[in-house]
Amino acid sequence: MEEQIKVLRQQMEEALAAVSSKDELAAFWQAYLGKNGSIAALMKGLGKVDKEQRPVMGKVINQFKAEAEEKYQAMREKMEAAELEAANRSEQVDITMPATRVSAGALHPLTLVKNQIVDVFAGMGFEIFEGPEIEDDDHNFTRLNVAKNHPARDMQDTFYVAEDIVLRTHTSGAQIRVMDAQQPPIKILAPGRVFRSDSDATHSPMFHQMEGLVVDKNITLCDLQGMLDKFVQAMFGEGIRTRLRPSYFPFTEPSVEVDVSCFECGGKGCGLCKGTGWIEVLGGGIVHHKVLENCGIDPNVYSGFAFGIGIERITMLKYGINNIGLLFENDLRFLKQFQE
Ligand SMILES: [Zn+2]
């Protein structure tokens, strides 16, 4: 038996020297130290040894086992250390390398301007109301005093989704929805996307409007102008004035176009204002008594004003953008100029 152990020790040392992976090391453990391994087999063989010799041989086998375990353990530690070192090497960071720049996103210019407009009016007590983008004929036209066959329907090239269902051509439908739902006093701002079949340097088939509506007792055109003065000063600078020009919208009477004094030349006349000193920025007026009636509000008691701001128009004026297409191409070279 001693001879057998000697051979086995030789084999074990050779086997261990040949181990080069964790799997091979596990196989080594199975072969020598496992439940059915060579050393366990030696132990079982003890039964055949002479009774007097048995304790001595048992001690020798145990010693061999301890030796094998120690060698196995040492090999395992060596392999783990090598593995750790390899991992450290591969994860090494060179702190002198230049950092990768993180490219931060920013708000789109239309969002910047929309937020700014909302801030100005929120400061005056307006609440936000958002109507649906797909609107029925009733809200988009009829109850805004634009009956079927009314010539004003030709003012807007409409996308029809179905008969009597349109992609809203303006945010004015929100007026009807709000007045249906509540009695005055009303003070709302309705921002959103609107759609018209129109496309050139200053028109896009999809664009953004901001509708404003105030209904209360004794509301006049003076209230509208006073409030718009505050608005344009916040957007374009102190000292900017407004001027109202008569206009026509079916849902307001009287209707006005609102001009601001040119913020480029201060009113002397330049390319931006085409020499007039004034720039048209939005439309509005006193809510037509028929529109109030259509929503169950008594025009003899209440009056109101409404206005519609083109967000693209304001954005283009504010940043000197001459083609509306730039706002929708999402060219990063363009958009990055608005990063704050
Ligand atoms: Zn000018």
Side-chain angles (χ1 to χ4, degrees):
M1 191 165 220
E2 267 177 286
E3 189 59 28
Q4 207 184 337
I5 292 173
K6 201 176 157 194
V7 171
L8 204 54
R9 175 179 283 123
Q10 181 79 24
Q11 280 176 0
M12 180 203 67
E13 277 169 7
E14 278 166 20
L16 196 63
V19 161
S20 66
S21 71
K22 277 191 136 182
D23 284 349
E24 285 171 21
L25 187 65
F28 168 85
W29 192 88
Q30 286 291 344
Y32 292 91
L33 292 157
K35 211 158 57 177
N36 300 310
S38 312
I39 294 171
L42 281 178
M43 280 295 193
K44 277 176 202 148
L46 263 184
K48 289 174 198 151
V49 176
D50 290 345
K51 237 183 175 173
E52 306 86 70
Q53 279 224 300
R54 222 175 272 168
V56 183
M57 284 315 294
K59 210 173 162 191
V60 172
I61 296 170
N62 274 331
Q63 257 171 13
F64 176 48
K65 192 182 177 188
E67 195 183 319
E69 274 172 349
E70 200 178 302
K71 290 200 157 142
Y72 164 80
Q73 200 56 38
M75 187 55 139
R76 207 174 92 162
E77 279 163 17
K78 200 171 129 191
M79 288 182 103
E80 278 170 0
E83 207 170 59
L84 187 65
E85 201 201 340
N88 283 345
R89 212 177 307 124
S90 73
E91 286 165 17
Q92 210 167 46
V93 175
D94 181 355
I95 57 165
T96 63
M97 290 268 284
T100 332
R101 273 188 183 278
V102 176
S103 176
L107 292 178
H108 190 278
L110 288 176
T111 309
L112 288 174
V113 169
K114 185 194 113 177
N115 289 350
Q116 205 179 342
I117 297 173
V118 168
D119 278 353
V120 173
F121 285 103
M124 296 189 239
F126 280 73
E127 283 176 51
I128 300 290
F129 173 85
E130 291 191 54
E133 290 178 0
I134 296 175
E135 188 59 283
D136 56 40
D137 187 282
D138 201 44
H139 288 87
N140 195 77
F141 290 123
T142 309
R143 290 169 74 199
L144 283 166
N145 201 30
V146 190
K148 288 232 159 106
N149 305 319
H150 191 293
R153 290 209 177 194
D154 292 341
M155 286 167 71
Q156 304 171 355
D157 296 311
T158 309
F159 288 115
Y160 279 85
V161 177
E163 205 191 341
D164 290 340
I165 304 290
V166 300
L167 295 184
R168 66 177 173 193
T169 56
H170 48 199
T171 42
S172 306
Q175 291 186 29
I176 304 295
R177 292 187 177 274
V178 169
M179 288 191 284
D180 269 352
Q182 68 181 97
Q183 280 291 310
I186 290 168
K187 207 170 183 185
I188 59 108
L189 204 58
R193 287 193 287 183
V194 301
F195 308 85
R196 289 182 201 178
S197 176
D198 200 356
S199 187
D200 60 34
T202 53
H203 296 88
S204 156
M206 186 280 293
F207 58 103
H208 300 79
Q209 272 191 347
M210 183 84 76
E211 189 84 8
L213 173 70
V214 173
V215 184
D216 205 343
K217 286 176 177 154
N218 306 315
I219 295 291
T220 69
L221 214 48
C222 290
D223 297 311
L224 173 64
Q225 186 166 22
M227 204 198 57
L228 290 177
D229 275 338
K230 289 258 185 308
F231 163 64
V232 298
Q233 282 157 13
M235 295 304 289
F236 298 110
E238 296 281 324
I240 299 290
R241 288 164 295 127
T242 57
R243 160 178 99 165
L244 306 184
R245 278 183 296 112
S247 183
Y248 171 75
F249 304 108
F251 33 90
T252 45
E253 178 60 37
S255 301
V256 292
E257 292 288 354
V258 181
D259 295 343
V260 293
S261 54
C262 181
F263 40 84
E264 194 75 20
C265 63
K268 288 199 257 341
C270 69
L272 183 67
C273 59
K274 300 190 181 80
T276 64
W278 295 92
I279 299 169
E280 185 186 322
V281 287
L282 60 103
I286 292 297
V287 180
H288 200 292
H289 67 90
K290 281 190 183 164
V291 175
L292 293 178
E293 278 167 9
N294 287 342
C295 298
I297 292 172
D298 186 349
N300 296 315
V301 180
Y302 295 106
S303 57
F305 64 72
F307 57 88
I309 302 170
I311 298 178
E312 279 78 1
R313 169 111 181 115
I314 301 289
T315 306
M316 289 168 79
L317 284 171
K318 196 171 160 67
Y319 294 115
I321 299 164
N322 56 15
N323 190 333
I324 197 169
L326 289 167
L327 293 170
F328 301 114
E329 281 165 5
N330 289 328
D331 185 330
L332 285 179
R333 291 168 301 178
F334 171 75
L335 294 177
K336 275 184 189 249
Q337 297 175 55
F338 301 92
Q339 257 173 356
E340 279 158 350

